[in-house]
Amino acid sequence: MIVIFGSINMDLVARVQRIARPGETVLSRRADSFFGGKGANQAVAAARVSHGGPLRVAMVGAIGNDPFGKACLKNLEENGVDVGAIRMTDEPTGCAFITVDETGENAITVASGANMALRAADLPKNLLTAATVLVLQMEVSIADSLEVAARARRAGVKVVWNFAPVPAVKERSAVAELLAVTDVLVVNEHEALAIADMVGEPSGDDYLKAGSAISQSFGPTCIVTAGSRGAYAITPDSARTHATARPITPVDTTGAGDTFVGVLANGLAEGLEIGRAMERACAAASLSCLTAGAQAGMPERKSLEQHLTQA
């Protein structure tokens, strides 16, 4: 099974000609609402590609007792995600404010709300088995995420940690503690460089050197996603595996990284070797960019398999 411990948000999206600079106002014709939150996005991505397969996907998160929270809960259920471990709180449901420019690039501000009320105790013990893949991100309490990861490792669970968004934590010991309980670390180029700098392994602008240093020093397999260049997995012995990205003209890149993580978790839970799991994840991430919104373009299992066969 796949367990996602993380954030649940409502995304408010405005399309602009270009993303505003500090102090600047830009106009958009309208704002649209979409379901989001890195945790919820990854749960939906995993559930869609797991549909028709043997795996169950469960979400552990927190929402507010408000219309956004109720809508988010319903959306997860409709996508086949087990929502039994989602807790309703007095805090407002998390909300993300997203601007997307005409090239498909985005800028995001997140109001965490109920996400910061999520606690390690909210994860039921029966969800942690040797057959579980646990997925974490950086949009909920780091301390509670660390506690969950440590519990999972003791139970023989594979821990996948998406180091996004990069937190304000600068102490090497805190980052080292996170990496020590991680089996597979997923980062983009900028996040790889940020972690390397945090742990005293500055790598200039060489994200593969950064990924290699992280993996060698702390032990996890480090997967660096690099947009149109695909993704690279680097193991502690410096072995590299590359998965290519499908050429596309993006409509909206919001949620592409989360699609990659959710589909990767599915592949690992199904026992695929890392290269094959990354290939599927790259293809799914590319497909997700063809539709506006973080979750709208996430592919179902059948469409992903057809796309891979055609490619």
Side-chain angles (χ1 to χ4, degrees):
M1 91 176 292
I2 301 167
V3 176
I4 315 289
F5 183 89
S7 56
I8 302 170
N9 290 333
M10 184 65 77
D11 293 350
L12 302 178
V13 181
R15 293 195 160 275
V16 295
Q17 185 176 16
R18 58 183 176 79
I19 294 170
R21 296 185 294 267
E24 181 183 24
T25 298
V26 297
L27 298 180
S28 174
R29 291 186 61 187
R30 57 182 284 175
D32 295 302
S33 60
F34 300 95
F35 297 107
K38 295 191 72 63
N41 290 344
Q42 292 169 11
V44 169
R48 286 189 184 171
V49 80
S50 296
H51 184 67
L55 294 176
R56 170 186 168 208
V57 178
M59 178 79 208
V60 183
I63 56 175
N65 185 17
D66 51 41
F68 279 173
K70 293 169 185 176
C72 288
L73 191 68
K74 182 180 179 183
N75 173 66
L76 289 167
E77 288 181 307
E78 290 177 346
N79 276 284
V81 177
D82 184 330
V83 299
I86 294 177
R87 180 165 58 88
M88 190 169 288
T89 75
D90 292 333
E91 295 292 328
T93 300
C95 194
F97 305 90
I98 304 170
T99 52
V100 182
D101 72 16
E102 57 188 9
T103 71
E105 289 301 319
N106 61 71
I108 305 173
T109 299
V110 178
S112 297
N115 292 312
M116 284 304 169
L118 181 62
R119 295 292 174 261
D122 293 324
L123 174 59
K125 293 180 180 179
N126 66 342
L127 294 184
L128 297 181
T129 72
T132 298
V133 171
L134 174 68
V135 182
L136 305 128
Q137 325 79 33
M138 307 299 288
E139 286 188 332
V140 298
S141 162
I142 296 176
D144 286 274
S145 295
L146 280 169
E147 183 178 339
V148 164
R151 281 174 51 196
R153 288 292 290 272
R154 290 193 295 270
V157 171
K158 183 184 290 292
V159 177
V160 177
W161 206 316
N162 179 208
F163 197 87
V166 175
V169 176
K170 296 298 182 183
E171 295 83 1
R172 183 182 190 279
S173 59
V175 179
E177 183 181 0
L178 183 156
L179 296 172
V181 293
T182 302
D183 294 293
V184 179
L185 179 73
V186 183
V187 290
N188 64 22
E189 311 103 301
H190 309 294
E191 292 152 3
L193 294 171
I195 295 177
D197 188 57
M198 288 177 186
V199 298
E201 299 280 356
S203 304
D205 59 357
D206 189 337
Y207 56 85
L208 293 181
K209 180 181 178 182
S212 182
I214 294 165
S215 187
Q216 287 180 19
S217 298
F218 299 96
T221 294
C222 184
I223 295 179
V224 184
T225 60
S228 62
R229 296 179 295 281
Y232 300 83
I234 307 168
T235 58
D237 61 0
S238 296
R240 292 183 184 178
T241 302
H242 178 228
T244 58
R246 301 298 192 274
I248 60 164
T249 301
V251 173
D252 184 359
T253 60
T254 307
D258 294 331
T259 303
F260 180 94
V261 173
V263 176
L264 176 77
N266 167 270
L268 296 176
E270 289 190 0
L272 297 182
E273 55 87 18
I274 196 74
R276 177 58 176 159
M278 287 199 306
E279 180 185 2
R280 294 170 80 233
C282 281
S286 294
L287 289 173
S288 76
C289 295
L290 301 179
T291 307
Q295 297 179 14
M298 291 176 173
E300 301 279 351
R301 186 183 191 92
K302 184 176 179 180
S303 62
L304 177 59
E305 290 175 348
Q306 289 175 341
H307 177 73
L308 288 167
T309 300
Q310 293 167 355

